[in-house]
Amino acid sequence: MTTNRSPWIHQLTRTDPFPSLHTDIKTDVTIVGGGIAGVATAFFLLTETDKNVVLVEAQQIARGATGHNAGQVVSYFERSFADIVSEFGLEYAGAAQKSIEDSWVLLDQMYTKAGLTIPLSRFLGHAGFSSYEQVISHLKDSACREKAGLSLESFRISNRAAYVQKIPQEYSHLYECVEHDVIMSLLETKDPSFSAVLSYQKGCLNSALFSDESIVYLKNTYPERFSVYENTAILKVVLKKDHALLDAGVATIDTGKVVLCTNGFETLTIFNESGLDIDTQFHHDVKGTIGYMSGYLEPMNKPPTAISYFTNPDASTLDPYFYLTRRQYEYEQGSVHNLISVGGPEVSLDDKKSYSRDLLYPESEQKNIDTFIKTIYETDPNREIDYKFTWHGLMGYTPNLIRRIGFEPKNKVLMYNLGCNGVGILPSVFGGKRIADLLNGDTSTTIFDPQ
Ligand SMILES: Cc1cc2nc3c(=O)[nH]c(=O)nc-3n(C[C@H](O)[C@H](O)[C@H](O)COP(=O)(O)OP(=O)(O)OC[C@H]3O[C@@H](n4cnc5c(N)ncnc54)[C@H](O)[C@@H]3O)c2cc1C
């Protein structure tokens, strides 16, 4: 067993903690949670509204999922697009997909305004499929994307795949047949069992460093309107008709709005004027899953990439899969390597309270990842890999696997930007912008609206 040691937290350099809250305060908006969702929400509230904003974090900025993820910047949902269309209709599903894809621009906006210089790589990433069912599932998504007016992703199928003749004619313009070697080369694998590759824009980012540097920028730029408190847990949220009282232990925050950016809501109780109805609903609504990851260093002799591998032909594209990222990484100051990080195994939690960032990293999960790397990615299966990092983080899954962003319907004093799911970097940034838009009077509806 090893400790939970994340490469993203290893790179954090800020040594001065923000203070904790000791006196009662009053503000327009309080953001609870200092991961990328809370930070992006603060960014857009400060840059696009005139509100006074307070951000409170139970521990330290960016030490939650934001500091324990794979750091791939991707714009897909963890649900097939065709499935989202069947629940919400083409127009709403298409608009939601487009808004997440457009969030690349919001990320750029944050980078530019905050003057960030930390690496953000952008490249064509890939996903490798190993069965007809996975291929058909993707083709159905592509057909829906086409109908919704979204751009089509490049999809290549091996001309050796036994199922090529079976693919319905209606999908023929949505893929290209290529030599099998092309598939293996794009996936950088020696495993011949992959038969198709989907390629689309991906990126990679240390979202912890991004969040921490952004918050320092906001604090320095908006000293009159913005306060940050670390090591300050909100224990209770008491919702009144037009404001809320937040119990932070020794102090109370009186706030016009409260935005929960807590990933899940394991640590606080919500009292609405009419009772505990909102609280009960939400404690049932977000399910926790632990994601495990390992990382090792290599010489910097290959470009950045991000590849997902659907290794199990019997699994659907919604089951857990392995994902590998290769990126430039500064391990010791001034010395740059490639960091190879791999995630895949996930464990469901019956009760999120049983998760702790201090849990040791089980050997069985490490073995799983090591076996994957040696069979799929590494050319020398006997190589002894020195894993510098092994880490885990909590993913919160809403029942419909869609992030929840907007007003609580039972009391609009409460807002959410949470329910991370395993893909949350761009959705968190989009959520931050959407919160600012809503407080500026935007009345549009989306699939992210809390029901
Ligand atoms: C293993 C793993 C791999 C992932 N890989 C990717 C990936 O490649 N790409 C991608 O886009 N997404 C990925 N994700 C998801 C992504 O990391 C999350 O969606 C994103 O970081 C969520 O940010 P957040 O701010 O919502 O949550 P967090 O970063 O978890 O922040 C929530 C914060 O709220 C604080 N908090 C909670 N309760 C309270 C309280 N009562 N009072 C005060 N503070 C409180 C917590 O301390 C925490 O700091 C991955 C997640 C995991 C776990």
Side-chain angles (χ1 to χ4, degrees), residues 189-206:
T189 185
K190 54 186 187 280
D191 180 348
S193 59
F194 294 99
S195 50
V197 176
L198 170 66
S199 304
Y200 51 97
Q201 188 182 40
K202 283 189 177 186
C204 58
L205 167 75
N206 178 344

Side-chain angles (χ1 to χ4, degrees), residues 32-38 56-60 62-74 207 232-235 261-263 266-268 291-293 323 357 393-395 403 417-418 420-426 428:
V32 184
I36 191 168
V56 271
E57 164 53 50
Q59 301 187 8
Q60 287 165 284
R63 294 326 202 257
T66 300
H68 293 92
N69 56 21
Q72 290 192 5
V73 186
V74 290
S207 61
T232 301
I234 297 302
L235 309 172
C261 298
T262 53
N263 190 353
E266 61 273 28
T267 49
L268 48 79
Y292 291 96
M293 304 209 58
Y323 41 97
R357 288 175 207 165
L394 184 65
M395 302 169 177
R403 194 175 183 84
N417 178 9
L418 52 68
C420 89
N421 306 328
V423 176
I425 292 177
L426 285 180
S428 292

Side-chain angles (χ1 to χ4, degrees), residues 104-350:
W104 279 96
V105 177
L106 300 178
L107 195 65
D108 282 346
Q109 205 176 314
M110 290 182 73
Y111 250 81
T112 310
K113 258 214 161 112
L116 301 183
T117 53
I118 59 172
L120 167 63
S121 312
R122 224 173 270 206
F123 42 78
L124 203 59
H126 308 288
F129 299 126
S130 51
S131 75
Y132 177 65
E133 287 69 27
Q134 292 164 359
V135 164
I136 286 297
S137 163
H138 173 68
L139 288 169
K140 282 185 185 155
D141 281 358
S142 283
C144 285
R145 283 185 70 94
E146 189 177 43
K147 277 195 207 133
L150 296 164
S151 62
L152 289 184
E153 301 155 330
S154 151
F155 196 43
R156 299 175 176 92
I157 300 179
S158 163
N159 52 18
R160 258 174 40 191
Y163 54 73
V164 169
Q165 304 304 331
K166 254 178 32 180
I167 297 175
Q169 185 58 29
E170 62 187 294
Y171 298 137
S172 60
H173 62 297
L174 299 175
Y175 67 92
E176 175 194 358
C177 273
V178 296
E179 294 295 327
H180 195 74
D181 287 353
V182 175
I183 305 288
M184 289 175 63
S185 145
L186 287 169
L187 295 174
E188 301 192 29
T189 185
K190 54 186 187 280
D191 180 348
S193 59
F194 294 99
S195 50
V197 176
L198 170 66
S199 304
Y200 51 97
Q201 188 182 40
K202 283 189 177 186
C204 58
L205 167 75
N206 178 344
S207 61
L209 195 55
F210 171 77
S211 300
D212 205 55
E213 294 206 355
S214 299
I215 212 82
V216 170
Y217 158 79
L218 292 173
K219 189 72 193 75
N220 291 337
T221 311
Y222 300 94
E224 308 296 323
R225 287 205 288 133
F226 187 43
S227 307
V228 184
Y229 299 98
E230 286 186 313
N231 298 305
T232 301
I234 297 302
L235 309 172
K236 271 185 247 155
V237 174
V238 181
L239 298 173
K240 306 279 185 185
K241 197 157 167 270
D242 56 3
H243 70 129
L245 296 173
L246 309 185
D247 173 2
V250 294
T252 302
I253 306 175
D254 186 338
T255 185
K257 298 276 179 209
V258 51
V259 191
L260 294 187
C261 298
T262 53
N263 190 353
F265 346 77
E266 61 273 28
T267 49
L268 48 79
T269 312
I270 304 167
F271 295 89
N272 193 17
E273 285 189 315
S274 57
L276 271 172
D277 48 346
I278 297 176
D279 190 70
T280 316
Q281 175 75 33
F282 276 109
H283 284 282
H284 279 105
D285 258 11
V286 178
K287 291 245 174 314
T289 295
I290 308 180
Y292 291 96
M293 304 209 58
S294 300
Y296 62 98
L297 303 175
E298 275 190 344
M300 224 184 70
N301 54 11
K302 289 181 188 165
T305 192
I307 309 177
S308 306
Y309 296 90
F310 293 87
T311 44
N312 179 359
D314 297 328
S316 89
T317 48
L318 302 177
D319 288 315
Y321 49 87
F322 285 94
Y323 41 97
L324 178 143
T325 320
R326 184 175 59 227
R327 74 189 79 197
Q328 175 188 333
Y329 184 81
E330 201 170 327
Y331 182 60
E332 311 92 358
Q333 214 178 1
S335 147
V336 183
H337 309 261
N338 263 339
L339 170 71
I340 312 297
S341 57
V342 173
E346 291 177 7
V347 174
S348 244
L349 283 178
D350 290 338

